[in-house]
Every structure is written in C-alpha cells, then in structure tokens.
Amino acid sequence: MKKYDSKNIRNLALVGHSGSGKTTLSESLLYLSKALARPGKVEDGNTVSDWDKEEIARQISISLSVLPVEWKETKINLLDAPGYFDFAGQVLTALRASESALMVIDASAGIEVGSEIYWNYMEKIDLPRIIFLNKMDKPNVDFNTRIHELHQEFGKKVLPLTLTLGMGEDFEGIIDIMEMKAYKYDNFKVKEVEVPEIRVEEAKAAFNEIVEVIAMTDDDLMEKYFAGEEFTDDEVRRGLSAAILNGSAVPLIAGSATMGAGLDLLLDAVKKYMPAPNSPGVNLGFRPEEGELPEVDKNGPLSAVIFKTTVDPYVGKISYVKVVSGSLKKGDIYNASKDSSERPSGLFFMRGKTQEDTDEIVAGDIGAFAKLDKTETGDTISDKDHVVRYKGLKLPASNLTFAIQADSKNDEDKLTPSLNKLSEEDGTFQLDRNADTKQLLIRGLGNVQLEAMMNKLKTNYGVNVHRVPLVIPYKETIRKTSEVQGRHKKQSGGAGQFGDVWIRFEPIDEGFEFDEEVFGGAVPKNFFPAVEKGLEESLGSGPLAGYPVTGIKAVLYDGSYHPVDSNEMAFKTAAHIAFKKGVTEANPVLLEPVMTLQVTIPDAYLGDIMGDMNKRRGRILGMEQDEDGNQIVNAEAPFAELTEYAIDLRSMTQGRGSFTMDFNSYEEVPHEIAEKIIEEANIEE
C-alpha cells in the first residue's frame, strides 16, 4: 500500500441499518479499486470485513473492520460498522475515528430505524456524511419516492448528485448531475451514454438546487449566483465541500453494490467533496482532556489513540490506532494514559484481518500494532516531551444481563481470562461476579451480542458455557423487635461447651450493627467478639428463603457462662441459635432491589411505555422532553421485572428507545409475590 499525505486521506464510518448492504458495498468498492480479484459474498462467508467465525455463521457484522480503498491517489479508510443494534458500541467507535460517514440506505426498504438513529446521532455531533442509496435494481424501487421520503425525514439538505436510468428491475445506470453525463452498468462494466433528452431539464433543475446550496457558503459565490454567472469547477468543488462540512448539504449517490452501479461516482464524490483529516474546521472525534487539540500535521508532535482492540487466539492482540497528530513510526511507544512505554511487534495497516507492514503512519491515518500487553482501548499514545491525553468514548449502557456457568472444571479455569479478552474487543460487553448470588454475570446491549460472545468463547477459546437462570439478589430484614435466648450446652466426656446469651434484635435502615448492654459480668467481655462474629456469620442466610439479612441491630444484654466449659466457639454457636430464633420472631420480610430508570423514547411510544411500566410494578416519577423532542420518562421498578427490559423496550419502540438503569434501594416485596419467591427458594433447597 502506498504512503499518503493527510490531505489525500479520507476516513469514513460505513453505517446503516442491518441488511442495507454495507458489507456488500465495501466488498464491491475493494473489487472496483483492484484490491480484490473478485468480490466476496456474505452468504458465502468470504468477505474481507466479516472474517470472524461468528460473523460468518450469523451472516451479520458484529465487529468494526477497517478497509482501506485506494482510489485515484486517495486513500479512503472505510470503517465498516455493524448495523445490528446490539453492536452500537462498534458504530460509535467508527464514528469517533472518522471525519465523515458513508450512510448506506436500502432503496427497497426506505428509511429504516437504524438509518434514523445514526442520522440523528451524526446530526448531534455535526459529522459530515454522504448517502449511498443502494439496491436500486430491486423490484418496485422508485427513486423519486425515496428522495421525497428522505427530504421529509432528513430535510432538503439531502442533495442527489445522481438521477437513475430506469428503476427497479429496469434499472440500468445513473445520470451524473455534476458532470451532466450518463452511465450504464453491467456487472461492474461501465459505458458512457447520452443523457436522455427528456431527462436533461430534470438534471439541470437538480444541478441548480445544488448550486443554490453552494452559493450560500460564501459571500462572493452568493454575489456571483445572483448575478447569473456560472461557477467554475473549482468553485463547485470548494462550495459543496464547505456545505458538507458545515452541515447544510448531504450528497446522495444512487446505485447498486451488486451491479457495481454508481460506485465509481461514489468514490469520486468522496475524494472530491468529503473532508480530509487536516481540512480546516474538520470534525475530529478526539478531544484532549486539557489544552488545545493538536494540529493534524505529520511534522508535529505525535499523539494517537487506540480506538479498537481485537484479540485473536492465534494471531494475538491487535491494537488499532488513529494518529491525530505527528507521525507514528516503528519502535518503542509512550502510553500517556498509563505513563509507561512498550515495544509493539510491528506496525502495519489493516484490511479486514490482513496486515500490511509499514514503517510510518501519518497524521489522520489509521493503522495497527501487535502484542501490546499493557495498552488498552482508549489509551493515548503520545510524544513523551509533548504529552497529550484524549478523553474516552462514552458508550451506551449495558443493561441486559445473562448469568452463565462453565460446563466443566477445565472450562471454569479458562473462563475468566477468555471473557476478559472478549471485553477488550467490545467496551459494551462487561462481566462481573455478584457478591451476593455468587453468579458470574455478562452484560451487553442485547441478546444477540451476548449469545455471540458465548459462541466466541467456544469457537475462539475452546470454553464451553451455558446460560443459567438469573438469581435476583433478594435480601431479608425484620420489621419489629424481638428478645430471645440462645443457649448452647454440650457435654460428652472431658471438657464441654457452654454459651448462653440473651439478644435483642431491632430493625434499622440497612446493614448490621452490634452493641452490648451486659451488666455485672453475666457474659465476660472477652466473649463479646465471639458473639458478634457468630451473628455476622449468620447474616448470610435468613429464615425465610436463605437470602442475606440486612437492616438489623443486635444488642447483647444478658447471658451466663461456665468457668470451665465456656469458650469462643460455644458463644459463637449460642449467637447462631439466638439469631435464627430472634429474626424468625421479629416479623421477617423479603426485600428486593429497586432500580431507577431513565427511558428515552419518541413521543409516539409514551403511552405504551407508561402502561408497560405499570405492569412491571413500576412508579413513574416524572417526564421531561430532551433537546431532540424525545420524551424522557423517569421511573423506579423492581429489578426482577427488568431483567429483559432491554429486549422488550427495543421491541416496543422498534429500536428507537433507550434507557439507563441504576440501583436505587431495597424495598419490601409485596406479600403475595414474596410467598411465591419463598416457596420456590425452599423447593430448590
């Protein structure tokens, strides 16, 4: 691969709804640019971007791939991101590492939810974008209908740079509005033809709309426009680039990735109009923790970000790096985030899983290291004499939880290290072990993601696991005061055991407290710690269903002892006996974790969401509107009712809803529900 200056590099996040044809498009672009001898197919499992075994099996992208396309002295780094919502973290990663985006829309399906969501996000971060209206050759596709829908949904800023020659099954090619030329395509072979006479006026009208937008970008161009003068080619290029950069224009190219139709014009448009990493006013996704953003200049001090990590059991760890400033060369690197140095194994460009060695990666370009043990996703690589640290990426909340278990002892030994490697690859995939239930938990954005990760454990690391029912971390407490005796006496020849305590149990807000009110030495002070320890050990299993006990104060106020047979073990045992009797007599109740939720949804779904929350024993605390016009519903609900809310909310809102969830408090379980939980727990015992 040739070396390119920053001005000749374009970084585009390839985004769109699942099934819109992103992977097929990237494959066709690689073929068109002579990087491939023939394009692969998703159904054949031989595409460059979807090389993971799980991606091949599912026929969907689950991870971000970097695909450099070389076109007319320009390097276009396509960051092919999954379309499935469960892998939204990969999409945000791609958008962060790019100065613009290529949004793929399926012309046969129209504007789907994924396109809508990612469009809104790119609007919010002011990211320039270009649209490829794909699958124009599918039956019953109407170009004008799709453009009308795009204008209604996204505004008149969507500017078609092409018209179509025929539509649906009669689709043959496109009309290039900018050059006023027409092309027919046959299996990637292109033939220039005359613009049909009846389409000339239509094409001119479309060009005039583009010129009007261009004129708005510059006072001199505005004067020229009103004077009726034509713009030069350079003025058109500069004006359209400025309009794309300031967000007043989003160019659109129509075509078909499978036919190769329009792909040459798409690459030309990316080269001519989309911003380079060093373009003035460009949107850089990386922000320093403090100070000014360094200039994107290969001659400046080095600063770069590890934006993605993959861990292959055979190849090892690959760290993807975006160079923000300066030039990255072979040799030791300084990790500014960890204040440590490492020597990577090699420096190279990635195309899917293929590595191509290089001795330099310049500002604005994307490459990779191998085998950086300490360096993690999000870390900043910097010049040690000009330290820069970039802020981390805020990822969506991982609100779906699976409890998993290893199939065997051998699997158990390898499980945690393997899960840690998978979590390095996707920041939205998390794991922990619940201290109360002792279950190993994995968390993510959706069930497809978590199931894919479980499969990757098996295929990539040879670790077999299965999903088990998620145990809700209930707790038990008391609602009134009790006073009981705990007496332990054992005599079986030789020294016996004797411990006798009177303890008062009182309800408190949370936790456990121990106190003593013993007078006259009824229980010697040296046994107080044994009594307290015996009570603490008893907290792990309550009398109702064996759940941990909280919200209790125990006061040792009386007892007796034997000068020979009393010892610490005897008083610990007496405390155990007192605890079981005392908690049972103090009106024990079951507590459940209650979560605070903030649910963000379009207004149309408000009624459904509120009704559903009521069914989940939830409480609506209030509502407000965000800056995008969405409704934010603040609520509280028991965790037991929310274990699959991530799946259910997506279903109820067709993927448009999102939520955050945090632990709030423990509250008493309603009596009729508590009875069922206790009954089930006792059956399991």
Side-chain angles (χ1 to χ4, degrees), residues 486-491 494-501 521-528 530-531 559-574:
R487 182 180 174 88
H488 173 64
K489 182 178 181 181
K490 185 178 180 183
Q491 190 74 44
Q497 287 191 0
F498 181 84
D500 179 30
V501 294
V523 177
K525 288 184 178 181
N526 59 306
F527 292 134
F528 291 175
V531 174
S560 61
Y561 72 101
H562 188 278
V564 175
D565 293 345
S566 289
N567 55 36
E568 290 186 359
M569 182 58 71
F571 273 94
K572 272 180 64 175
T573 305

Side-chain angles (χ1 to χ4, degrees), residues 23-24 27 36 38-48 50 56 59 258:
T23 299
T24 301
E27 203 72 12
L36 294 178
R38 64 183 182 90
K41 295 182 179 179
V42 172
E43 54 268 30
D44 293 341
N46 60 354
T47 63
V48 176
D50 292 350
I56 294 170
Q59 295 191 3
T258 54

Side-chain angles (χ1 to χ4, degrees), residues 48-330:
V48 176
S49 60
D50 292 350
W51 50 269
D52 184 87
K53 293 177 185 176
E54 191 64 19
E55 292 178 311
I56 294 170
R58 291 179 178 270
Q59 295 191 3
I60 61 169
S61 300
I62 65 175
S63 185
L64 161 66
S65 287
V66 179
L67 307 168
V69 174
E70 297 179 276
W71 184 255
K72 298 180 180 178
E73 303 304 315
T74 301
K75 180 183 183 183
I76 301 170
N77 287 318
L78 294 175
L79 281 73
D80 186 9
Y84 207 85
F85 295 134
D86 285 26
F87 307 100
Q90 301 285 322
V91 180
L92 299 186
T93 298
L95 291 170
R96 188 192 187 206
S98 305
E99 289 77 48
S100 57
L102 169 53
M103 174 175 275
V104 183
I105 294 178
D106 181 349
S108 65
I111 302 170
E112 297 175 278
V113 179
S115 302
E116 180 187 313
I117 290 172
Y118 298 133
W119 176 280
N120 291 337
Y121 180 78
M122 289 186 287
E123 284 280 281
K124 189 174 292 186
I125 63 173
D126 297 321
L127 190 72
R129 71 218 74 136
I130 184 171
I131 295 172
F132 183 66
L133 192 59
N134 193 22
K135 304 185 184 181
M136 290 303 305
D137 53 332
K138 292 292 182 182
N140 304 315
V141 169
D142 187 286
F143 176 76
N144 294 325
T145 299
R146 289 293 172 249
I147 296 301
H148 178 68
E149 289 172 352
L150 286 163
H151 284 163
Q152 279 193 318
E153 185 69 29
F154 299 150
K156 291 284 189 175
K157 67 166 67 179
V158 176
L159 294 177
L161 304 189
T162 59
L163 301 174
T164 59
L165 291 173
M167 287 182 275
E169 292 166 313
D170 297 325
F171 174 72
E172 293 182 294
I174 57 177
I175 299 171
D176 181 354
I177 295 170
M178 306 302 287
E179 300 290 339
M180 210 56 70
K181 294 179 179 179
Y183 302 94
K184 288 187 178 181
Y185 295 86
D186 180 18
N187 194 27
F188 289 85
K189 293 176 182 176
V190 58
K191 176 185 177 184
E192 184 177 344
V193 296
E194 289 292 322
V195 177
E197 190 174 339
I198 59 172
R199 306 291 302 280
V200 171
E201 290 304 315
E202 180 188 358
K204 286 181 178 179
F207 181 73
N208 288 336
E209 290 182 10
I210 297 169
V211 168
E212 188 175 334
V213 172
I214 290 171
M216 300 290 287
T217 63
D218 183 272
D219 290 341
D220 292 337
L221 292 178
M222 181 70 78
E223 286 183 21
K224 197 171 181 179
Y225 174 74
F226 282 120
E229 298 179 40
E230 289 189 4
F231 296 156
T232 65
D233 289 346
D234 187 58
E235 286 171 334
V236 169
R237 186 193 62 76
R238 287 190 292 107
L240 187 51
S241 295
I244 293 169
L245 196 58
N246 69 29
S248 61
V250 177
L252 177 144
I253 305 287
S256 165
T258 54
M259 287 176 60
L263 304 193
D264 49 350
L265 297 187
L266 174 63
L267 290 173
D268 285 345
V270 169
K271 170 185 168 63
K272 289 168 68 174
Y273 307 124
M274 304 310 288
N278 63 344
S279 297
V282 74
N283 185 317
L284 290 172
F286 302 104
R287 298 285 182 271
E289 291 181 0
E290 55 185 39
E292 294 293 318
L293 184 69
E295 186 178 349
V296 182
D297 180 358
K298 70 176 183 180
N299 297 315
L302 171 67
S303 69
V305 179
I306 303 296
F307 67 92
K308 176 180 170 57
T309 301
T310 60
V311 184
D312 187 282
Y314 304 106
V315 178
K317 183 175 174 179
I318 304 294
S319 302
Y320 291 72
V321 61
K322 168 72 178 287
V323 180
V324 181
S325 64
S327 179
L328 184 60
K329 298 180 180 179
K330 284 186 175 181

Side-chain angles (χ1 to χ4, degrees), residues 273-567:
Y273 307 124
M274 304 310 288
N278 63 344
S279 297
V282 74
N283 185 317
L284 290 172
F286 302 104
R287 298 285 182 271
E289 291 181 0
E290 55 185 39
E292 294 293 318
L293 184 69
E295 186 178 349
V296 182
D297 180 358
K298 70 176 183 180
N299 297 315
L302 171 67
S303 69
V305 179
I306 303 296
F307 67 92
K308 176 180 170 57
T309 301
T310 60
V311 184
D312 187 282
Y314 304 106
V315 178
K317 183 175 174 179
I318 304 294
S319 302
Y320 291 72
V321 61
K322 168 72 178 287
V323 180
V324 181
S325 64
S327 179
L328 184 60
K329 298 180 180 179
K330 284 186 175 181
D332 289 0
I333 60 165
Y334 173 67
N335 185 327
S337 301
K338 292 188 168 58
D339 189 22
S340 64
S341 295
E342 276 194 274
R343 177 174 285 271
S345 173
L347 182 67
F348 39 83
F349 297 116
M350 299 294 296
R351 181 176 279 144
K353 66 176 180 179
T354 304
Q355 304 171 8
E356 185 169 325
D357 287 338
T358 183
D359 56 9
E360 182 183 27
I361 303 172
V362 301
D365 208 350
I366 290 169
F369 300 111
K371 299 178 181 177
L372 287 174
D373 295 329
K374 299 174 187 175
T375 300
E376 300 173 314
T377 300
D379 285 354
T380 299
I381 307 301
S382 175
D383 185 323
K384 200 167 186 177
D385 297 325
H386 300 86
V387 175
V388 178
R389 294 183 182 89
Y390 290 101
K391 295 178 180 178
L393 174 64
K394 186 178 180 182
L395 293 169
S398 303
N399 287 322
L400 183 64
T401 302
F402 280 7
I404 62 170
Q405 208 170 76
D407 286 3
S408 68
K409 178 66 172 65
N410 184 49
D411 293 317
E412 179 72 39
D413 293 340
K414 297 185 291 183
L415 179 53
T416 300
S418 300
L419 284 171
N420 284 330
K421 289 175 182 176
L422 290 178
S423 68
E424 279 192 78
E425 297 188 8
D426 188 342
T428 64
F429 178 68
Q430 301 162 2
L431 66 145
D432 67 76
R433 191 174 291 277
N434 186 286
D436 291 324
T437 66
K438 307 297 188 265
Q439 284 193 307
L440 182 62
L441 307 176
I442 56 174
R443 293 191 173 90
L445 302 182
N447 57 311
V448 173
Q449 178 193 19
L450 295 183
E451 288 165 2
M453 290 302 188
M454 290 171 66
N455 288 342
K456 288 184 78 170
L457 279 174
K458 181 177 181 178
T459 56
N460 291 2
Y461 299 102
V463 179
N464 296 285
V465 298
H466 58 277
R467 188 179 174 188
V468 296
L470 180 66
V471 177
I472 306 300
Y474 294 108
K475 292 187 178 181
E476 299 180 25
T477 193
I478 58 175
R479 287 292 183 241
K480 66 179 187 180
T481 300
S482 66
E483 296 184 356
V484 298
Q485 180 185 26
R487 182 180 174 88
H488 173 64
K489 182 178 181 181
K490 185 178 180 183
Q491 190 74 44
S492 56
Q497 287 191 0
F498 181 84
D500 179 30
V501 294
W502 280 88
I503 299 176
R504 181 171 66 252
F505 293 94
E506 305 169 358
I508 57 174
D509 288 340
E510 61 181 347
F512 170 70
E513 294 179 13
F514 175 75
D515 202 357
E516 58 82 20
E517 297 174 357
V518 177
F519 294 99
V523 177
K525 288 184 178 181
N526 59 306
F527 292 134
F528 291 175
V531 174
E532 182 177 6
K533 189 167 185 181
L535 293 170
E536 288 176 341
E537 290 176 353
S538 301
L539 292 170
S541 179
L544 293 176
Y547 291 107
V549 178
T550 187
I552 190 168
K553 180 177 180 179
V555 181
L556 173 64
Y557 66 90
D558 202 359
S560 61
Y561 72 101
H562 188 278
V564 175
D565 293 345
S566 289
N567 55 36

